[in-house]
Amino acid sequence: MKFFLDTANLNEIREGVSLGLVDGITTNPSLVAKEGGVDFKQHVVAICELVAGDVSAEVTSLDTEGMLSEGREYAAIAPNVVVKCPLTADGLRATRQLTSEGIRVNVTLCFSPAQAILAAKAGAAYISPFIGRLDDIGQNGLELVRDIVEIYNNYNWKTEVLAASIRHPIHVIETARAGADVATMPFKVMQQLIKHPLTDKGLDQFLADWRKSVSSKPDQNVNLLKEVVNVRQ
Ligand code: G3P
């Protein structure tokens, strides 16, 4: 399973990359707007310099022609740019055309299995079901991911299932259980995945015991240290 960061923040991307856990990035117009008036294309260049994996850049046109010209422009920025098109009739037309030109498309704002079927048929590289936003309106976002994985597996469709709108670690665990190809998550969720109170408690205990044993046998430890130094020399 690949892990993408769902952010346009360069510091978060740097930190995530330094953990060695980031396989790609997804952005959307809201996430880019949060970065405060950056030049979009230059910002995508900066992200692509930090990340070797796929970087999704979303079009803002609503008509197919507009999406095509934005999509071609973004795809020319770097080979790892994936164009993000919305799941509308125009978006599906743009997806089909961009795909036929060798440009990979992430179809976004997917909220039903029917929409996911259309994205795969249009040749999308990725489909992005939005889990959290479905949960927000009392529907089951994880069930949507499970349905899409099952349907795609039935036909061996190559479109990758990219679970999006992830809000907490259980979303990540459950999308992994469902067999999603990718989970894209805010940096905060990636950090939450690392943490467990018993890990912290266990570590504190190990170190406290270690310090106690070191201070109760000072001579033995000095001798041990000398042996180590001798071996290394
Ligand atoms: O990039 C799309 C996405 O993951 C949105 O997440 O939390 O705004 O619903 P959210």
Side-chain angles (χ1 to χ4, degrees):
M1 182 189 213
K2 286 179 275 188
F3 272 15
F4 287 4
L5 275 182
D6 197 25
T7 182
N9 184 277
L10 297 180
N11 289 330
E12 288 183 349
I13 294 171
R14 271 188 214 101
E15 258 195 82
V17 167
S18 80
L19 285 171
L21 294 173
V22 174
D23 301 303
I25 302 292
T26 49
T27 66
N28 63 39
S30 307
L31 292 171
V32 175
K34 262 171 60 181
E35 297 311 300
V38 291
D39 176 278
F40 180 59
K41 274 173 68 182
Q42 274 173 20
H43 203 71
V44 174
V45 171
I47 295 174
C48 290
E49 280 168 4
L50 295 173
V51 182
D54 288 347
V55 174
S56 286
E58 187 158 344
V59 300
T60 49
S61 300
L62 294 177
D63 62 304
T64 304
E65 276 315 309
M67 290 182 200
L68 289 177
S69 75
E70 273 186 78
R72 289 173 187 135
E73 220 180 302
Y74 299 160
I77 293 175
N80 54 332
V81 168
V82 174
V83 176
K84 222 169 166 187
C85 290
L87 216 156
T88 59
D90 283 80
L92 290 170
R93 271 192 286 269
T95 299
R96 164 63 63 213
Q97 180 56 33
L98 290 169
T99 301
S100 74
E101 296 173 21
I103 294 171
R104 290 173 309 137
V105 177
N106 172 359
V107 175
T108 189
L109 289 165
C110 171
F111 294 98
S112 77
Q115 290 181 317
I117 290 172
L118 298 181
K121 289 193 68 66
Y126 294 103
I127 181 67
S128 290
F130 277 33
I131 302 173
R133 292 192 194 187
L134 277 172
D135 291 355
D136 289 345
I137 61 159
Q139 293 186 18
N140 191 334
L142 288 166
E143 202 169 293
L144 173 61
V145 174
R146 287 191 278 270
D147 284 347
I148 299 172
V149 170
E150 183 187 341
I151 293 166
Y152 283 13
N153 282 345
N154 284 346
Y155 297 99
N156 206 14
W157 281 338
K158 298 292 171 236
T159 303
E160 293 189 62
V161 181
L162 192 167
S165 188
I166 281 179
R167 304 276 170 77
H168 48 69
I170 291 172
H171 278 158
V172 180
I173 295 162
E174 291 301 318
T175 53
R177 280 161 55 98
D181 300 286
V182 190
T184 189
M185 65 198 82
F187 184 55
K188 188 183 118 206
V189 173
M190 191 172 277
Q191 288 175 308
Q192 287 172 333
L193 290 175
I194 299 169
K195 295 296 272 181
H196 196 288
L198 290 181
T199 304
D200 296 340
K201 194 176 165 208
L203 195 56
D204 287 347
Q205 186 65 55
F206 286 155
L207 293 181
D209 291 344
W210 180 252
R211 270 186 233 108
K212 252 187 273 162
S213 96
V214 169
S215 61
S216 67
K217 298 170 196 150
D219 292 346
Q220 189 183 322
N221 285 303
V222 168
N223 289 338
L224 258 176
L225 193 64
K226 280 182 188 158
E227 272 173 40
V228 171
V229 170
N230 285 338
V231 168
R232 285 201 178 148
Q233 283 169 348

